Amino acid sequence: MDEKRNKIDSLPPIQLPPPIVHYYIAAPSAAATTGQPWHQTHAQLPPTPPTLPTKAERREISRRSSHSAIEKRRREKMNDKIDRLKGLIPSCNAHFPTTVQQPIHKLSVLQAAIDYIGELHNHLENSLPKDNPFLKEIAIMQSKRDQIKSPPMSQGEK
């Protein structure tokens, strides 16, 4: 044990690096440059009186608030229509076994509506007899819809 102690005592002391000192250079104060006391150089300026908005500024404020109100009503109407659509789609009305239901996002409602309408359309086509005039009318409407989606090519595109 004494041998270990002698070895430790014979080791040179650990040299730590010098501490790092950070110096911050500040701009000279007004008191230092002018020789005046601080309270005289930093006196508060009198408050500026509030100015009334000009006619153009008032018109801009009115335009913005009017636009905000119109946009808010448009969003409320859109949300109301999506809520009504959500009530018509069976997959959006599904009751989950848990007590906490996650809200269905607007895009999910629209996608569910597209899927459901497609299912109804396929069901209708499959349930009607092939010689039904109603089915022929649906086929005509589909061909018109397809023509609207992809207009005929012009002479230069052929």
Side-chain angles (χ1 to χ4, degrees), residues 45-156:
L45 297 174
T48 57
T51 58
L52 296 175
T54 64
K55 185 176 181 181
E57 290 171 339
R58 286 193 309 268
R59 188 177 23 212
E60 180 67 16
I61 291 168
S62 174
R63 185 189 67 78
R64 284 183 185 169
S65 64
S66 175
H67 177 73
S68 296
I70 291 169
E71 185 64 21
K72 183 178 180 182
R73 283 194 302 270
R74 186 188 71 80
R75 285 191 311 268
E76 287 172 352
K77 285 180 184 178
M78 193 180 315
N79 289 337
D80 181 54
K81 302 297 182 195
I82 288 177
D83 285 341
R84 288 179 58 196
L85 184 62
K86 191 188 305 185
L88 297 173
I89 308 298
S91 63
C92 293
N93 286 328
H95 297 288
F96 297 103
T98 62
T99 57
V100 178
Q101 272 187 317
Q102 292 290 330
I104 299 173
H105 299 286
K106 296 174 192 176
L107 188 60
S108 300
V109 172
L110 294 176
Q111 186 60 52
I114 291 169
D115 295 342
Y116 183 61
I117 291 170
E119 287 176 23
L120 289 176
H121 191 267
N122 289 338
H123 178 70
L124 182 64
E125 280 184 342
N126 294 336
S127 66
L128 291 175
K130 300 299 177 198
D131 59 345
N132 191 322
F134 183 68
L135 194 59
K136 290 178 184 177
E137 191 172 326
I138 289 175
I140 292 170
M141 289 172 54
Q142 280 180 339
S143 66
K144 287 180 182 178
R145 182 189 68 200
D146 292 342
Q147 287 175 355
I148 291 172
K149 283 185 179 178
S150 57
M153 291 189 289
S154 64
Q155 295 283 342

Side-chain angles (χ1 to χ4, degrees), residues 1-17:
M1 179 95 170
D2 287 331
E3 266 182 50
K4 285 184 181 180
R5 185 169 288 223
N6 287 338
K7 281 185 181 180
I8 292 174
D9 290 339
S10 66
L11 292 175
I14 298 174
Q15 294 291 324
L16 296 175

